Every structure is written in C-alpha cells, then in structure tokens.
Amino acid sequence: MGAALDKVLGEALEDISRRNLRRRLREVTTPQGPQVVVEGCAFSNFSSNDYLGLAAHPALKEAALAEWDRGGFGTGASRLVCGTLSAHEELEAALAAFKRTEAALGFSSGYAAALGTIPALCGSSDVVILDKLAHACLVDAARLSGAVLRVFPHNNLEKLESHLAWARQRHPEARCLVVVESIYSMDGDAAPLREVVALAERFEAWIFLDEAHGVGVLGEGGRGLAEEEGVADRIDVQMGTLGKALGSHGAYIAGSALLRDYLVNRARSFIYSTAPPAPVAAAARAALGIVQGREGEELRKRLSANMVRLASVLGAAPPRAAILPWIIGEETAALSLSGKLSASGALVPAIRYPTVAKGTARLRFTGSALHSEKDFEVLESALERIRASSQ
Ligand SMILES: *Cc1c(COP(=O)(O)O)cnc(C)c1O
C-alpha cells in the first residue's frame, strides 16, 4: 500500500533536494525564548517572531490555566454551533477595544483569517490588488476568491495607482480591495501606509491590512503601524495575528460591527472550523493586557534597543520593527552561512525560494525584547569565526 505514491513523492523530494530547497522539521525541547535547545544543542535564538518574549510569559500561563478550569480545553464544535465560549467573546471585545474598532472576530490562525476574509469580501467580478511581497496566505486567499488579481512591485505607489485606475476604468462596478502588510515578513520594511490609504480612498477601493509583524511592536500601546501612522480609522479591514508578538495563537479581523457580522455569515474558514481552545483565547487576552500596559512599553523599549544592537552587529541600519534580513543570493550560500552560525550557537534561518524570490535567499534575523548581552556576544563571535575562516 502506498508504494506507488511514495515513489512519486520520493522523486519529487529528490528534485527539491537537488535544488538545495529541501526543508525539514527540527524539534525544540524548551519553551520559546531568546535561548532554546534544538535537537539537543543550545542556541541563542534569532529566528522567532515572539518579539516581546510573551510566548512563555507566566501571566499567559496563569490566564490559560484559569480558563481551563472555567471553559475547559476542547470547544467541541464550530463557533456557530456551540463553540462560542465566554473566552472568545471576551477576547474579541478586548481586541476591538485595543484596535479601537467597533468589533473584532477571532480566527484559528492568520492563514485562516486571510483565507476566510478575502474570498468573503471579493468574488469573480471583483478586483484584488496585492503588493508583490504579500504573505503566502494573502496570495492564496486572493486566488481562492476568484477575483481578477493585480500585483504591484513592492511598495511601488505609481504602479498601485495605475492598477487602481485600470480597475476603476475596466471594472467600474467591481469591488476593489487593496491588500498590504504593515511590516513585510521577509524584508522587515514598512508599507507607505499613508500614501496607500490616500490612493485607495481616491479610487474608492477598500483596504485589507495585515499587521502580523506590526501588532505589539509598533504604535502607541503596540496597536500597530496603522495607529503609528495615524490612519487606523481609515482602514476597512485590519488583520493581526495572536501567535507572534502576542505570544499565543490565532488571529483576528478588526473593523466595523457589520464587517464582523458579515464574516460570521460568510467567512468559510470561520464557519466550517472548530472554535479555538478557550485557554488559548484567554492567553491572548492576557497578552493584550501586557502589551498595552507599562510592561509592554518597557518591552518595546528593550526590543528597540536590541534592534539597534543587532543592526550594529550586522553592520546594517536598524529596521522599522523587529525583522532584519541579510540578503545572500544563492540558496547554497545562505544555507551554508546559516549552518556556520548554528555551529557557533546562533539560530538564524536561511530563507529560500519559494518563501522569497529565487536568487534572493537570505538570513532572516529577528530580535526579542529578552535578548541579553550574552546572545549578542554569541552572534558576534559566530560572525567573527565566519569572517576569519573566509579570509
Ligand atoms: C505569520 C503570518 C501570517 C499567518 O499567521 P498565522 O497565525 O501564523 O497563520 C499572516 N501574515 C503574515 C504577514 C505573517 O507573517
């Protein structure tokens, strides 16, 4: 049984290996944090999106355990059947208050939020315009919607404008949705959000903003890039994830009460999926409390000082948020550098095609508020060793 399938898959994997694109899973045996143990080796971790170090924070544990007693673990059904527990309603109220929107709706992941929301908003007679570097889940969601797709070069406002003009001329009756991220996940740079908002308004298009790497990190109270740029109230659909800076799991869409109600009725990944465990929602709510409070403020200060430190170790300019890519080019060169860093105790992933374009393989460094001087020393001496051996 399965021999014929395995033969086909084996050949496909061989082909992936030959192109140096084979990936494999590595087991981490410690909680997430600036130091982790992976397959028995200790590392300083420069690869996580747990930017504020909340993933193993005691307040999240406490909230999750308390919720376990009140709401149990499994939810038994989808949200619309009997899976909407107090923890979900409380999290969504807290998210709406945090984002200063009328309402918010939780999803089981950012991937599910995108896949449910974009096809609910746009169909085959509509137009979706995406930034070239938009996350895979946004691209998949746009494709799934069946809408006419237009892609503009990364952060290129002229091309965005010409796509909008084209859409309005060729599809005057269509819904038109512009999809951008606040901080691009593999490049770490920010969208020119004020200009994007102004263009979308001029052409009467809607905006879908993915704040996966902005929320918790940027803006007053960690509200994100839209808040920092003063345009949050002009963005129709604000998505964020709960599994990165917020240290929990899941995602949300924040916007009007009608948007929430509409998605409850139309977002298939929401409707046809079991509700997330209550303790997970409670942990996310605890994280929201932390990011908006004094501790969050303090953690963002430390993160930002650590990004300055990280940038100086790498000889780069400090990034807007907590992601610093080091573009290498060849997949093999990036892999080899990542391997050498790891041999010296620094965990930095090589990011390759298809996550990034061919020939732009890179090391993706991420910072944490909890990185210590020791972690930077590990990284510095690892880089020293690489330089010395290449001379
Ligand atoms: C991680 C990520 C997602 C997906 O969120 P998950 O909760 O991990 O599924 C979506 N968009 C961007 C930009 C991301 O980096």
Side-chain angles (χ1 to χ4, degrees), residues 49 109-112 135 137-138 181 183 185 210 212-213 239 241 243-244 250-251:
N49 304 312
S109 71
Y111 203 106
H135 190 267
C137 70
L138 304 172
E181 291 177 27
I183 299 295
S185 57
D210 178 350
H213 299 278
M239 167 184 157
T241 62
K244 288 169 179 160

Short mmCIF file of all heavy atoms in Angstrom, two decimals, residues 49 109-112 135 137-138 181 183 185 210 212-213 239 241 243-244 250-251, ligand 1:
data_model
loop_
_atom_site.label_atom_id
_atom_site.label_comp_id
_atom_site.label_asym_id
_atom_site.label_seq_id
_atom_site.Cartn_x
_atom_site.Cartn_y
_atom_site.Cartn_z
N ASN A 49 9.37 34.88 16.04
CA ASN A 49 8.53 36.08 15.93
C ASN A 49 7.91 36.45 17.28
O ASN A 49 7.00 37.27 17.35
CB ASN A 49 7.40 35.85 14.93
CG ASN A 49 7.92 35.43 13.57
OD1 ASN A 49 8.84 36.06 13.03
ND2 ASN A 49 7.37 34.37 13.01
N SER A 109 -6.12 30.99 12.96
CA SER A 109 -4.75 31.37 12.59
C SER A 109 -4.84 32.56 11.64
O SER A 109 -5.92 32.88 11.11
CB SER A 109 -4.02 30.21 11.90
OG SER A 109 -4.57 30.01 10.62
N GLY A 110 -3.69 33.17 11.41
CA GLY A 110 -3.64 34.25 10.43
C GLY A 110 -3.96 33.72 9.04
O GLY A 110 -4.64 34.37 8.25
N TYR A 111 -3.46 32.53 8.77
CA TYR A 111 -3.73 31.90 7.48
C TYR A 111 -5.25 31.75 7.28
O TYR A 111 -5.79 32.09 6.22
CB TYR A 111 -3.04 30.54 7.43
CG TYR A 111 -2.76 30.06 6.04
CD1 TYR A 111 -1.47 30.07 5.52
CD2 TYR A 111 -3.79 29.59 5.23
CE1 TYR A 111 -1.22 29.63 4.23
CE2 TYR A 111 -3.54 29.16 3.94
CZ TYR A 111 -2.26 29.18 3.44
OH TYR A 111 -2.03 28.76 2.17
N ALA A 112 -5.90 31.27 8.32
CA ALA A 112 -7.35 31.06 8.23
C ALA A 112 -8.10 32.40 8.13
O ALA A 112 -9.11 32.51 7.44
CB ALA A 112 -7.85 30.27 9.43
N HIS A 135 2.34 38.15 1.98
CA HIS A 135 2.48 36.82 2.56
C HIS A 135 1.68 35.77 1.76
O HIS A 135 0.62 36.07 1.21
CB HIS A 135 1.96 36.88 4.00
CG HIS A 135 2.24 35.66 4.82
ND1 HIS A 135 1.36 34.62 4.93
CD2 HIS A 135 3.33 35.32 5.55
CE1 HIS A 135 1.87 33.69 5.73
NE2 HIS A 135 3.07 34.10 6.12
N CYS A 137 -0.33 33.55 2.58
CA CYS A 137 -1.76 33.37 2.89
C CYS A 137 -2.62 34.42 2.21
O CYS A 137 -3.78 34.17 1.87
CB CYS A 137 -2.00 33.33 4.41
SG CYS A 137 -1.76 34.88 5.28
N LEU A 138 -2.05 35.60 1.97
CA LEU A 138 -2.80 36.66 1.29
C LEU A 138 -2.92 36.34 -0.19
O LEU A 138 -3.97 36.55 -0.82
CB LEU A 138 -2.12 38.02 1.50
CG LEU A 138 -1.91 38.42 2.97
CD1 LEU A 138 -1.05 39.68 3.07
CD2 LEU A 138 -3.25 38.62 3.67
N GLU A 181 0.72 44.62 3.76
CA GLU A 181 1.15 44.29 5.12
C GLU A 181 1.68 45.57 5.76
O GLU A 181 2.05 46.50 5.06
CB GLU A 181 2.26 43.23 5.08
CG GLU A 181 1.76 41.88 4.63
CD GLU A 181 2.86 40.84 4.53
OE1 GLU A 181 3.87 40.93 5.24
OE2 GLU A 181 2.69 39.93 3.72
N ILE A 183 4.39 45.48 8.18
CA ILE A 183 5.82 45.16 8.12
C ILE A 183 5.95 43.87 7.33
O ILE A 183 5.32 42.87 7.68
CB ILE A 183 6.39 44.96 9.55
CG1 ILE A 183 6.25 46.23 10.38
CG2 ILE A 183 7.84 44.48 9.50
CD1 ILE A 183 7.06 47.42 9.89
N SER A 185 7.14 40.43 6.05
CA SER A 185 7.66 39.39 6.94
C SER A 185 9.08 38.96 6.61
O SER A 185 9.81 38.54 7.50
CB SER A 185 6.73 38.18 6.94
OG SER A 185 6.57 37.69 5.63
N ASP A 210 -2.59 43.61 6.79
CA ASP A 210 -2.11 42.51 7.62
C ASP A 210 -1.01 43.05 8.54
O ASP A 210 0.09 43.37 8.10
CB ASP A 210 -1.59 41.39 6.71
CG ASP A 210 -1.02 40.20 7.47
OD1 ASP A 210 -0.84 40.29 8.71
OD2 ASP A 210 -0.74 39.18 6.83
N ALA A 212 0.54 41.41 10.96
CA ALA A 212 1.16 40.28 11.67
C ALA A 212 2.45 40.67 12.40
O ALA A 212 2.70 40.23 13.52
CB ALA A 212 1.44 39.13 10.70
N HIS A 213 3.28 41.50 11.75
CA HIS A 213 4.56 41.85 12.37
C HIS A 213 4.57 43.28 12.93
O HIS A 213 5.63 43.77 13.34
CB HIS A 213 5.70 41.66 11.37
CG HIS A 213 5.80 40.25 10.90
ND1 HIS A 213 6.45 39.28 11.63
CD2 HIS A 213 5.27 39.62 9.82
CE1 HIS A 213 6.35 38.12 10.99
NE2 HIS A 213 5.63 38.31 9.90
N MET A 239 -6.20 43.12 9.92
CA MET A 239 -5.92 41.77 10.40
C MET A 239 -4.67 41.80 11.28
O MET A 239 -3.78 42.62 11.06
CB MET A 239 -5.66 40.86 9.19
CG MET A 239 -5.05 39.52 9.53
SD MET A 239 -4.70 38.60 8.02
CE MET A 239 -3.43 37.50 8.63
N THR A 241 -2.18 38.94 13.99
CA THR A 241 -2.07 37.58 14.49
C THR A 241 -1.80 37.62 15.99
O THR A 241 -1.28 38.59 16.53
CB THR A 241 -0.99 36.78 13.75
OG1 THR A 241 0.27 37.40 13.96
CG2 THR A 241 -1.26 36.72 12.26
N GLY A 243 -0.19 34.96 17.46
CA GLY A 243 0.85 33.97 17.71
C GLY A 243 2.27 34.53 17.60
O GLY A 243 3.22 33.79 17.78
N LYS A 244 2.41 35.81 17.29
CA LYS A 244 3.75 36.38 17.16
C LYS A 244 4.04 37.23 18.39
O LYS A 244 4.26 36.69 19.46
CB LYS A 244 3.86 37.09 15.82
CG LYS A 244 3.91 36.04 14.70
CD LYS A 244 3.77 36.54 13.31
CE LYS A 244 3.88 35.36 12.35
NZ LYS A 244 3.31 35.61 11.04
N GLY A 250 -3.53 32.14 17.02
CA GLY A 250 -4.77 32.59 16.41
C GLY A 250 -4.58 33.93 15.74
O GLY A 250 -3.44 34.40 15.57
N ALA A 251 -5.69 34.53 15.34
CA ALA A 251 -5.62 35.80 14.62
C ALA A 251 -6.96 36.51 14.75
O ALA A 251 -7.91 35.95 15.30
CB ALA A 251 -5.28 35.56 13.15
C1 LIG B 1 2.73 34.63 10.13
C2 LIG B 1 1.98 35.44 9.15
C3 LIG B 1 0.65 35.14 8.82
C4 LIG B 1 -0.01 33.87 9.26
O1 LIG B 1 -0.38 33.93 10.58
P1 LIG B 1 -0.50 32.55 11.39
O2 LIG B 1 -1.28 32.90 12.59
O3 LIG B 1 0.90 32.12 11.66
O4 LIG B 1 -1.22 31.60 10.49
C5 LIG B 1 -0.03 36.02 8.01
N1 LIG B 1 0.56 37.11 7.50
C6 LIG B 1 1.86 37.41 7.76
C7 LIG B 1 2.46 38.62 7.18
C8 LIG B 1 2.60 36.57 8.57
O5 LIG B 1 3.88 36.83 8.80
#
